[in-house]
Amino acid sequence: MNHPEQMYNYNAWANQTILNRIKELPSSVLSQEVNSSFPTIAHALSHIYAVDKMWYLVLTGTGMPEALQACMPLNGEIHGSIDEYMQMFADLSAQYSEWLQGHTNLEQTVLLDNPFAGVRETSLSEMVFHLVNHGTYHRGNVSTMLRQLGHASVMNDYSLFWYQEPTQV
């Protein structure tokens, strides 16, 4: 397994870990408003998913402007149950795993046309690392939101992932 694939597996595990924690809590936790980066945990999860989906489209050959346009509606699509989010993330994780297993050269570079930052040449692995970093950042938001709502979060650090039994995520 290569390093980008390992990092993606961590990202999928960390998403699953925090979703499992949210599933343990009252279902209302998804829609309770907080004064944070997102108005609700559901909004944060929808954003994480939309961006993960957008990067998947880019990695599989869609131009970034088109991928952004395709995924923008997902950013505002709020789901009513944690089970829906769990299924969405699991399905996308399976797509990523299949894509990663089929790519032996993640150092391949592509021209990325980012409407917010401009055009640059970047490797597939850099995009995977960005996706993981983005997810880590927003899982931190979700952890803070959980605490604001009076609930403990759950540890989902990369160093904990090292000690987990290998599982399909």
Side-chain angles (χ1 to χ4, degrees), residues 12-31:
W13 170 86
N15 283 339
Q16 183 180 57
T17 298
I18 203 150
L19 290 166
N20 284 338
R21 173 60 183 135
I22 295 167
K23 187 173 175 71
E24 297 170 350
L25 302 172
S27 61
S28 63
V29 78
L30 272 180
S31 59

Side-chain angles (χ1 to χ4, degrees), residues 37-96:
S37 304
F38 297 94
T40 67
I41 289 173
H43 283 86
L45 295 175
S46 290
H47 174 74
I48 295 167
Y49 178 81
V51 172
D52 283 7
K53 181 70 173 182
M54 186 276 306
W55 282 110
Y56 176 77
L57 293 175
V58 172
L59 286 163
T60 58
T62 302
M64 190 170 184
E66 295 79 17
L68 277 166
Q69 188 168 1
C71 293
M72 283 291 200
L74 300 174
N75 196 45
E77 194 172 283
I78 305 307
H79 299 276
S81 80
I82 194 63
D83 291 328
E84 290 177 72
Y85 283 103
M86 293 178 90
Q87 188 62 57
M88 290 166 41
F89 277 95
D91 291 346
L92 186 56
S93 177
Q95 291 175 312
Y96 265 103

